[in-house]
Amino acid sequence: MLRGMPQGHVPRARARFQLRLLVRIGFILAVALFAAVALGQRWLQVRSSLGRLDARHVGLAVACAVLSLLPALLAWRELLAGLGSRLPLPAAARVFYVGQLGKYLPGSVWPVLAQMELAREHHVPRSRAAAAALLAIGTGLVGALLVGGALLPFTVDSTRARVVLLAGLAVSLVVASPPVLNRVVGVGLRLLRRPPLDTALTASTELASLVLSAGSWLLQGLALYALASGLAGDGWRLLALCVGATATASALGILVVIAPAGIGVRDPALVAALSGVLDPGEALVAAIGVRLVLSVADLVVGFGTGLLGGVARAAIPAPETVVEQEQEQEHEQEQEQEQEHEPAQEPSGRST
């Protein structure tokens, strides 16, 4: 019997543990299925054109895609630390990369839920993990708009589209400012009936995360450039176009929340942007090729991190650990509720 647990509570604790295990296994299988379908649909289109790309360009694209995952991890870790929970880098990598596999499921909620569950095993409150995940998505959007806005003359020819993009950038910068952002997070947590955060996000944390997110988009743009330059030759204009188009198309993919990993939104936007420099066939090969490279990088790093880090040890604890953590969290929630309902003590004004 578990320490301090009545005998009747043990079966329920084990049942909750088994249910969590089944949910995690189902999550991994669903991710693998959706990702395989997405990659399979694009593989038929890419296969006939891969012969035009040599190993040097493909290898450079793969290297940039893998490297782009590091600043994304550091941006999320910085936000989580700014909210009060700094994880060691190996633990942060397991939570972030395994959780990010959820973006291949329809809807933007899956990475958030996965990171909440995985971070909980490292004593991170769910409300804090949810806030960090949502803030990372928002920071990624602002970082993409910043990179896309800086390279706007190379990526968008339409004046109306430029005005819309710049307006979106201005609004996102206002919302991303710490005073506004902290209030937005507070309102969101109240709507979710979660306790408020005990640490407000600072400007330095927000700026560091924003710079790291922009670095991630830059590396993804370089991955696209590595493939496009293999089809149409090198050039500074093509480099600026690839980086700016990647950031702008990624921002659109983030905004369309029902598209898993921006599939169906980002690719057509990239093809449209690249068609001004490449012919339509080359633009299609480059856009689908970089999607394939980025997806493979996500899956290899995500599954590899989970396996090498020991998913059974780090993300799926023993039932005893689950029960002890649940007791601690329930006790903390009871204390918070008591503090909320405790009437303020008024001075009696009497003299003894």
Side-chain angles (χ1 to χ4, degrees):
M1 187 167 62
L2 301 179
R3 295 191 309 249
M5 286 291 294
Q7 188 171 1
H9 289 188
V10 176
R12 289 198 297 270
R14 292 188 181 277
R16 287 195 298 268
F17 167 73
Q18 292 172 355
L19 178 61
R20 251 180 230 162
L21 178 60
L22 291 175
V23 168
R24 288 173 181 174
I25 293 175
F27 167 77
I28 295 297
L29 292 177
V31 166
L33 176 62
F34 275 90
V37 170
L39 293 177
Q41 291 174 344
R42 283 155 181 76
W43 175 255
L44 295 177
Q45 298 172 325
V46 173
R47 183 176 57 184
S48 61
S49 302
L50 286 179
R52 299 179 58 188
L53 296 172
D54 58 33
R56 180 174 63 90
H57 290 95
V58 175
L60 182 59
V62 171
C64 290
V66 173
L67 288 175
S68 71
L69 300 177
L70 179 59
L73 162 66
L74 297 178
W76 170 82
R77 181 172 177 253
E78 189 68 24
L79 288 170
L80 186 63
L83 295 175
S85 294
R86 178 170 290 279
L87 293 180
L89 190 58
R94 286 193 295 270
V95 174
F96 180 76
Y97 289 137
V98 176
Q100 280 294 97
L101 295 175
K103 69 183 182 181
Y104 288 97
L105 299 175
S108 298
V109 68
W110 299 112
V112 178
L113 295 178
Q115 289 176 12
M116 285 172 59
E117 183 67 16
L118 291 166
R120 184 169 177 261
E121 313 303 344
H122 297 279
H123 307 287
V124 178
R126 284 184 171 180
S127 58
R128 188 176 299 167
L134 293 173
L135 287 171
I137 295 174
T139 303
L141 174 61
V142 177
L145 290 173
L146 280 174
V147 175
L151 299 173
L152 195 60
F154 298 95
T155 56
V156 179
D157 295 327
S158 170
T159 302
R160 180 177 298 179
R162 290 182 178 181
V163 171
V164 171
L165 182 61
L166 290 176
L169 175 59
V171 172
S172 65
L173 287 175
V174 172
V175 176
S177 62
V180 178
L181 192 59
N182 286 320
R183 292 188 179 185
V184 171
V185 172
V187 171
L189 291 176
R190 283 198 297 272
L191 292 176
L192 295 173
R193 297 182 178 180
R194 304 301 302 178
L197 296 174
D198 51 7
T199 304
L201 199 65
T202 63
S204 59
T205 298
E206 178 72 12
L207 180 60
S209 178
L210 198 58
V211 171
L212 288 167
S213 296
S216 179
W217 297 126
L218 174 62
L219 287 167
Q220 289 192 28
L222 290 176
L224 175 61
Y225 173 71
L227 296 178
S229 62
L231 297 170
D234 300 330
W236 286 105
R237 177 174 174 78
L238 180 61
L239 174 60
L241 173 63
C242 288
V243 175
T246 297
T248 304
S250 298
L252 293 175
I254 294 173
L255 292 172
V256 182
V257 296
I258 61 172
I263 293 175
V265 177
R266 173 174 166 161
D267 304 340
L270 281 180
V271 172
L274 292 174
S275 295
V277 176
L278 308 178
D279 65 49
E282 292 172 342
L284 181 62
V285 169
I288 294 177
V290 78
R291 162 68 69 179
L292 180 67
V293 167
L294 292 172
S295 298
V296 170
D298 278 336
L299 296 172
V300 170
V301 172
F303 285 112
T305 302
L307 292 175
L308 293 177
V311 175
R313 182 182 69 255
I316 305 178
E320 292 81 358
T321 306
V322 173
V323 173
E324 291 174 359
Q325 292 179 358
E326 287 182 349
Q327 283 182 306
E328 293 177 1
Q329 292 187 355
E330 289 175 1
H331 180 63
E332 291 177 358
Q333 291 177 358
E334 289 175 358
Q335 288 183 332
E336 290 174 355
Q337 292 175 358
E338 290 176 359
Q339 292 176 359
E340 291 177 358
H341 293 88
E342 184 178 355
Q345 295 182 355
E346 298 180 357
S348 61
R350 298 177 184 177
S351 59
T352 57

